[in-house]
Amino acid sequence: PWVRVCCVLLCVASDAVALTGPLPYLPQFCSRQLGVKDEEVGNYVGALIGAFSMANFLSSAVLGHWSDLYGRKPFLLSGVLVSA
């Protein structure tokens, strides 16, 4: 059972790294690619992070229900593949 626990731990850790990795680059992205003024960059970065958190919150119940119906392995694997 430790191999399975370690596999799940690696999946969760890689997902966390993949999702938080781009956060330091969001201010530059907003100012250079989106053309946001320097004094409004913080608002846009906050809106992007908030939108991601809201989407995560709204989809977690549905994905949790589906993983109860169809099994957790397909959802863990698809999550790792999508975030890689």
PDB file of all heavy atoms in Angstrom, residues 8-22:
ATOM      1  N   VAL A   8       0.127   8.572  -5.192  1.00  0.00           N
ATOM      2  CA  VAL A   8      -0.859   9.641  -5.017  1.00  0.00           C
ATOM      3  C   VAL A   8      -0.179  10.904  -4.506  1.00  0.00           C
ATOM      4  O   VAL A   8      -0.490  12.015  -4.952  1.00  0.00           O
ATOM      5  CB  VAL A   8      -1.993   9.188  -4.073  1.00  0.00           C
ATOM      6  CG1 VAL A   8      -2.897  10.343  -3.700  1.00  0.00           C
ATOM      7  CG2 VAL A   8      -2.788   8.071  -4.710  1.00  0.00           C
ATOM      8  N   LEU A   9       0.762  10.764  -3.592  1.00  0.00           N
ATOM      9  CA  LEU A   9       1.492  11.916  -3.075  1.00  0.00           C
ATOM     10  C   LEU A   9       2.265  12.621  -4.184  1.00  0.00           C
ATOM     11  O   LEU A   9       2.273  13.855  -4.263  1.00  0.00           O
ATOM     12  CB  LEU A   9       2.435  11.482  -1.957  1.00  0.00           C
ATOM     13  CG  LEU A   9       3.254  12.581  -1.311  1.00  0.00           C
ATOM     14  CD1 LEU A   9       2.350  13.554  -0.583  1.00  0.00           C
ATOM     15  CD2 LEU A   9       4.270  11.994  -0.360  1.00  0.00           C
ATOM     16  N   LEU A  10       2.900  11.867  -5.057  1.00  0.00           N
ATOM     17  CA  LEU A  10       3.616  12.464  -6.181  1.00  0.00           C
ATOM     18  C   LEU A  10       2.664  13.173  -7.142  1.00  0.00           C
ATOM     19  O   LEU A  10       2.988  14.238  -7.673  1.00  0.00           O
ATOM     20  CB  LEU A  10       4.416  11.398  -6.923  1.00  0.00           C
ATOM     21  CG  LEU A  10       5.728  11.002  -6.279  1.00  0.00           C
ATOM     22  CD1 LEU A  10       6.350   9.818  -7.019  1.00  0.00           C
ATOM     23  CD2 LEU A  10       6.687  12.163  -6.281  1.00  0.00           C
ATOM     24  N   CYS A  11       1.501  12.587  -7.368  1.00  0.00           N
ATOM     25  CA  CYS A  11       0.503  13.228  -8.236  1.00  0.00           C
ATOM     26  C   CYS A  11       0.057  14.558  -7.653  1.00  0.00           C
ATOM     27  O   CYS A  11      -0.022  15.562  -8.362  1.00  0.00           O
ATOM     28  CB  CYS A  11      -0.702  12.316  -8.432  1.00  0.00           C
ATOM     29  SG  CYS A  11      -0.391  10.870  -9.430  1.00  0.00           S
ATOM     30  N   VAL A  12      -0.237  14.578  -6.375  1.00  0.00           N
ATOM     31  CA  VAL A  12      -0.698  15.810  -5.735  1.00  0.00           C
ATOM     32  C   VAL A  12       0.415  16.845  -5.708  1.00  0.00           C
ATOM     33  O   VAL A  12       0.181  18.032  -5.972  1.00  0.00           O
ATOM     34  CB  VAL A  12      -1.223  15.504  -4.314  1.00  0.00           C
ATOM     35  CG1 VAL A  12      -1.504  16.774  -3.545  1.00  0.00           C
ATOM     36  CG2 VAL A  12      -2.465  14.639  -4.394  1.00  0.00           C
ATOM     37  N   ALA A  13       1.630  16.424  -5.410  1.00  0.00           N
ATOM     38  CA  ALA A  13       2.754  17.364  -5.362  1.00  0.00           C
ATOM     39  C   ALA A  13       3.055  17.942  -6.741  1.00  0.00           C
ATOM     40  O   ALA A  13       3.302  19.148  -6.875  1.00  0.00           O
ATOM     41  CB  ALA A  13       3.990  16.677  -4.785  1.00  0.00           C
ATOM     42  N   SER A  14       3.026  17.115  -7.776  1.00  0.00           N
ATOM     43  CA  SER A  14       3.304  17.627  -9.115  1.00  0.00           C
ATOM     44  C   SER A  14       2.200  18.571  -9.570  1.00  0.00           C
ATOM     45  O   SER A  14       2.468  19.551 -10.267  1.00  0.00           O
ATOM     46  CB  SER A  14       3.466  16.475 -10.101  1.00  0.00           C
ATOM     47  OG  SER A  14       2.232  15.815 -10.300  1.00  0.00           O
ATOM     48  N   ASP A  15       0.978  18.302  -9.178  1.00  0.00           N
ATOM     49  CA  ASP A  15      -0.119  19.184  -9.529  1.00  0.00           C
ATOM     50  C   ASP A  15       0.038  20.533  -8.835  1.00  0.00           C
ATOM     51  O   ASP A  15      -0.179  21.584  -9.439  1.00  0.00           O
ATOM     52  CB  ASP A  15      -1.446  18.529  -9.145  1.00  0.00           C
ATOM     53  CG  ASP A  15      -2.630  19.276  -9.703  1.00  0.00           C
ATOM     54  OD1 ASP A  15      -2.579  19.673 -10.883  1.00  0.00           O
ATOM     55  OD2 ASP A  15      -3.605  19.458  -8.962  1.00  0.00           O
ATOM     56  N   ALA A  16       0.428  20.513  -7.578  1.00  0.00           N
ATOM     57  CA  ALA A  16       0.623  21.771  -6.845  1.00  0.00           C
ATOM     58  C   ALA A  16       1.752  22.599  -7.445  1.00  0.00           C
ATOM     59  O   ALA A  16       1.634  23.821  -7.581  1.00  0.00           O
ATOM     60  CB  ALA A  16       0.901  21.469  -5.379  1.00  0.00           C
ATOM     61  N   VAL A  17       2.824  21.947  -7.826  1.00  0.00           N
ATOM     62  CA  VAL A  17       3.951  22.665  -8.437  1.00  0.00           C
ATOM     63  C   VAL A  17       3.551  23.229  -9.797  1.00  0.00           C
ATOM     64  O   VAL A  17       3.887  24.372 -10.134  1.00  0.00           O
ATOM     65  CB  VAL A  17       5.181  21.739  -8.550  1.00  0.00           C
ATOM     66  CG1 VAL A  17       6.258  22.352  -9.424  1.00  0.00           C
ATOM     67  CG2 VAL A  17       5.723  21.435  -7.176  1.00  0.00           C
ATOM     68  N   ALA A  18       2.813  22.460 -10.570  1.00  0.00           N
ATOM     69  CA  ALA A  18       2.405  22.924 -11.897  1.00  0.00           C
ATOM     70  C   ALA A  18       1.433  24.095 -11.815  1.00  0.00           C
ATOM     71  O   ALA A  18       1.448  24.988 -12.669  1.00  0.00           O
ATOM     72  CB  ALA A  18       1.773  21.782 -12.674  1.00  0.00           C
ATOM     73  N   LEU A  19       0.598  24.117 -10.793  1.00  0.00           N
ATOM     74  CA  LEU A  19      -0.377  25.189 -10.687  1.00  0.00           C
ATOM     75  C   LEU A  19       0.191  26.451 -10.064  1.00  0.00           C
ATOM     76  O   LEU A  19      -0.231  27.557 -10.409  1.00  0.00           O
ATOM     77  CB  LEU A  19      -1.585  24.707  -9.866  1.00  0.00           C
ATOM     78  CG  LEU A  19      -2.398  23.611 -10.535  1.00  0.00           C
ATOM     79  CD1 LEU A  19      -3.509  23.149  -9.614  1.00  0.00           C
ATOM     80  CD2 LEU A  19      -2.968  24.085 -11.851  1.00  0.00           C
ATOM     81  N   THR A  20       1.146  26.327  -9.156  1.00  0.00           N
ATOM     82  CA  THR A  20       1.713  27.516  -8.527  1.00  0.00           C
ATOM     83  C   THR A  20       2.973  28.016  -9.224  1.00  0.00           C
ATOM     84  O   THR A  20       3.441  29.108  -8.910  1.00  0.00           O
ATOM     85  CB  THR A  20       2.038  27.251  -7.044  1.00  0.00           C
ATOM     86  OG1 THR A  20       2.953  26.159  -6.955  1.00  0.00           O
ATOM     87  CG2 THR A  20       0.781  26.949  -6.253  1.00  0.00           C
ATOM     88  N   GLY A  21       3.497  27.265 -10.153  1.00  0.00           N
ATOM     89  CA  GLY A  21       4.704  27.679 -10.862  1.00  0.00           C
ATOM     90  C   GLY A  21       4.575  28.983 -11.624  1.00  0.00           C
ATOM     91  O   GLY A  21       5.461  29.847 -11.557  1.00  0.00           O
ATOM     92  N   PRO A  22       3.480  29.195 -12.361  1.00  0.00           N
ATOM     93  CA  PRO A  22       3.360  30.442 -13.144  1.00  0.00           C
ATOM     94  C   PRO A  22       3.008  31.682 -12.342  1.00  0.00           C
ATOM     95  O   PRO A  22       3.030  32.782 -12.878  1.00  0.00           O
ATOM     96  CB  PRO A  22       2.224  30.140 -14.122  1.00  0.00           C
ATOM     97  CG  PRO A  22       1.996  28.694 -14.074  1.00  0.00           C
ATOM     98  CD  PRO A  22       2.491  28.208 -12.768  1.00  0.00           C
TER      99      PRO A  22
END
